[in-house]
Amino acid sequence: MAGSPSRAAGRRLQLPLLCLFLQGATAVLFAVFVRYNHKTDAALWHRGNHSNADNEFYFRYPSFQDVHAMVFVGFGFLMVFLQRYGFSSVGFTFLLAAFALQWSTLVQGFLHSFHSGHIHVGPPSPLLSSPFCPIPSMINADFCVWAVLISSGALLGKTGPAQLLLMALLEVVLFGINEFVLLHLLGVRDAGGSMTIHTFGAYFGLVLSRVLYRPQLEKSKHRQGSVYHSDLFAMIGTIFLWIFWPSFNSALTALGTGQHRTALNTYYSLAASTLSTFALSALVGEDGRLDMVHIQNAALAGGVVVGTSSEMMLTPFGALAAGFLAGTVSTLGYKFFTPILESKFKVQDTSGVHNLHGMPGVLGALLGVLVAGLATHEAYGDGLECVFPLIAESQRSATSQAMYQLFGLFVTLMFASVGGGLGGDYPFWTPPLDSQCYEDQVHWQVPGEHEDEAQRPLRVEEADTQA
């Protein structure tokens, strides 16, 4: 029975046992396989007569700090818009990120930096797609965490922490394989992850949300809205993400002109998407008033849409145009398409990841196809070797590179769709009841409320569900 003591006991044991098992297994795998790379190991680095100032860590660490803040502060607070789900939004983001960054270090390490029987980690670790652009393993792990957190946004409030951890266990593996196929095997360029991060994470979560569809979710409909202070806290997440997004897109690009160009393109795209969001929100809003949901989310779409093309010669005008389009599409998606997703396609997208990450991610991938197809030696000069090494080495034409970019989008959608379909409603999962979704008290001790008064609404709803 839904509210039986066995269900409560299962919930009590499920999370601690799963956390202990996952951490123990990860620790064993780290002990067996993970080692410092030559730029992190004291003996190996100094054996080459290098000075500490030569280590690229000092150039990459500021970007890592920004990306890390986006994961834990930006994403965590962006999700606190639900009036009774603030603890869970911030807390489960913390939990998922802490596990996924460890698990992704192993998965990505086996795929990209496994040699002599060990995974060699450190900033930077061996690169994926070009010998000119080293990839810090810590940043790469955080990028994988982003995809997991994007997916969790589609399931926000309808799943428990154990369920989210199992989702991350599967998604990190598929993320790593998809990334390896695109960046290593296909030679796709995707510096800011429009495909590998945003599109993959969004559609993985959306397909999983369809698999876990709840026809009786209206029992918790009164908790799906926000209140004044929850929207205000969510704007903290928006501002953090907006400020640091140029670091996110440029974190893995080549030092020098590549990073400068990526930061500038992202900077202008975000500005344009913000203005288009305000314009469209007022245009479609009731009595011309702004909707805070639009501002919290669609204003960030400019960072997503230039992810793939941000290191390319997009031009400042191109960045502005792309950002304006992304903000427009995202705002209209929140206003018109989200209700259609649930009513017609049975996809309950709690935080609207389709509008912020899905559609802008696909647009960003298509923009990358266009800009790659226009790449020439005249436009890039010697920098072509860093952005498009295969074109520079005459192994591909610009047109063929564009086709590979387009194929990479289809591969990503395939991995995301199949992966989301695999994460079904298994019997050992104990999600909250339909009447208890979007409620912190299911998983947290909420201070400042008397126990009997705080639990009475849940008990009444649980009794109604059993009846």
Side-chain angles (χ1 to χ4, degrees):
M1 191 172 288
S4 66
S6 61
R7 179 184 176 88
R11 181 178 294 157
R12 175 186 293 272
L13 293 175
Q14 194 176 64
L15 180 60
L17 289 178
L18 185 59
C19 285
L20 292 173
F21 171 77
L22 292 176
Q23 185 59 74
T26 302
V28 171
L29 291 171
F30 264 67
V32 174
F33 293 109
V34 179
R35 301 291 185 271
Y36 294 130
N37 71 0
H38 73 284
K39 291 189 177 182
T40 310
D41 190 296
L44 296 177
W45 176 253
H46 290 287
R47 187 182 302 165
N49 295 321
H50 301 290
S51 72
N52 288 332
D54 295 331
N55 200 315
E56 197 172 345
F57 173 86
Y58 299 101
F59 297 97
R60 295 291 185 181
Y61 192 70
S63 294
F64 164 72
Q65 287 180 305
D66 293 350
V67 173
H68 220 45
M70 292 173 77
V71 168
F72 289 93
V73 181
F75 252 109
F77 279 92
L78 182 64
M79 300 299 180
V80 301
F81 62 93
L82 292 171
Q83 57 184 289
R84 293 286 302 174
Y85 211 65
F87 280 17
S88 300
S89 297
V90 175
F92 295 162
T93 295
F94 197 9
L95 173 65
L96 277 179
F99 167 65
L101 67 88
Q102 298 177 68
W103 181 224
S104 63
T105 297
L106 290 165
V107 172
Q108 293 172 329
F110 281 120
L111 291 169
H112 306 306
S113 57
F114 187 76
H115 54 90
S116 302
H118 295 113
I119 297 169
H120 296 268
V121 299
S125 66
L127 80 148
L128 297 180
S129 55
S130 165
F132 302 95
C133 306
I135 295 180
S137 56
M138 292 158 63
I139 296 176
N140 213 33
D142 273 4
F143 274 24
C144 180
V145 170
W146 261 67
V148 172
L149 296 181
I150 289 169
S151 300
S152 71
L155 308 173
L156 191 69
K158 301 172 293 184
T159 52
Q163 205 169 0
L164 292 173
L165 283 172
L166 291 171
M167 178 199 76
L169 187 68
L170 170 65
E171 185 173 3
V172 167
V173 175
L174 293 175
F175 173 92
I177 296 173
N178 179 65
E179 181 189 56
F180 180 79
V181 171
L182 264 64
L183 303 186
H184 186 77
L185 299 182
L186 298 179
V188 168
R189 306 301 298 181
D190 193 32
S194 292
M195 287 182 281
T196 55
I197 299 171
H198 300 287
T199 301
F200 178 85
Y203 288 101
F204 184 100
L206 291 168
V207 172
L208 183 54
S209 178
R210 175 62 182 88
V211 172
L212 302 178
Y213 175 71
R214 289 169 172 260
Q216 303 299 320
L217 196 58
E218 67 273 6
K219 294 180 179 180
S220 294
K221 193 172 182 63
H222 58 286
R223 297 194 200 95
Q224 293 185 39
S226 61
V227 291
Y228 189 87
H229 68 269
S230 67
D231 270 336
L232 188 60
F233 275 114
M235 275 301 294
I236 295 175
T238 298
I239 297 301
F240 260 86
L241 292 170
W242 201 97
I243 291 173
F244 291 130
W245 213 298
S247 294
F248 179 89
N249 282 351
S250 65
L252 303 185
T253 53
L255 297 176
T257 59
Q259 279 196 327
H260 294 170
R261 188 167 56 250
T262 303
L264 281 171
N265 287 335
T266 308
Y267 178 80
Y268 292 126
S269 183
L270 284 166
S273 69
T274 301
L275 264 70
S276 65
T277 298
F278 273 86
L280 267 294
S281 182
L283 187 63
V284 302
E286 182 180 350
D287 299 326
R289 291 182 294 179
L290 299 167
D291 189 331
M292 185 56 84
V293 172
H294 303 160
I295 309 306
Q296 289 165 357
N297 296 279
L300 299 171
V304 178
V305 76
V306 296
T308 296
S309 59
S310 56
E311 67 172 335
M312 304 175 191
M313 293 291 287
L314 179 60
T315 76
F317 169 76
L320 288 174
F324 193 90
L325 175 63
T328 300
V329 169
S330 183
T331 304
L332 294 177
Y334 277 101
K335 179 66 176 180
F336 301 109
F337 197 58
T338 295
I340 295 175
L341 269 181
E342 181 168 358
S343 61
K344 302 296 184 182
F345 299 98
K346 301 188 186 307
V347 175
Q348 296 159 326
D349 182 7
T350 305
S351 61
V353 300
H354 185 250
N355 309 310
L356 173 54
H357 302 280
M359 291 189 294
V362 172
L363 285 175
L366 296 176
L367 180 61
V369 172
L370 174 63
V371 181
L374 298 174
T376 63
H377 287 271
E378 290 74 18
Y380 288 83
D382 293 337
L384 184 64
E385 191 167 18
C386 188
V387 182
F388 295 111
L390 297 177
I391 298 178
E393 296 165 4
S394 299
Q395 298 182 34
R396 283 183 187 171
S397 66
T399 302
S400 64
Q401 179 66 41
M403 291 299 100
Y404 274 97
Q405 298 284 142
L406 183 61
F407 184 60
L409 173 61
F410 289 113
V411 171
T412 297
L413 291 171
M414 180 195 69
F415 272 108
S417 301
V418 172
L422 291 175
D425 192 6
Y426 298 111
F428 50 81
W429 285 0
T430 55
L433 299 170
D434 290 329
S435 60
Q436 295 181 2
C437 290
Y438 316 109
E439 173 57 61
D440 271 337
Q441 289 177 15
V442 176
H443 304 288
W444 299 85
Q445 296 180 23
V446 180
E449 297 181 356
H450 191 275
E451 173 68 16
D452 291 337
E453 293 179 358
Q455 295 298 333
R456 190 189 313 132
L458 293 184
R459 294 194 187 114
V460 171
E461 292 167 354
E462 187 173 297
D464 291 343
T465 301
Q466 293 180 44

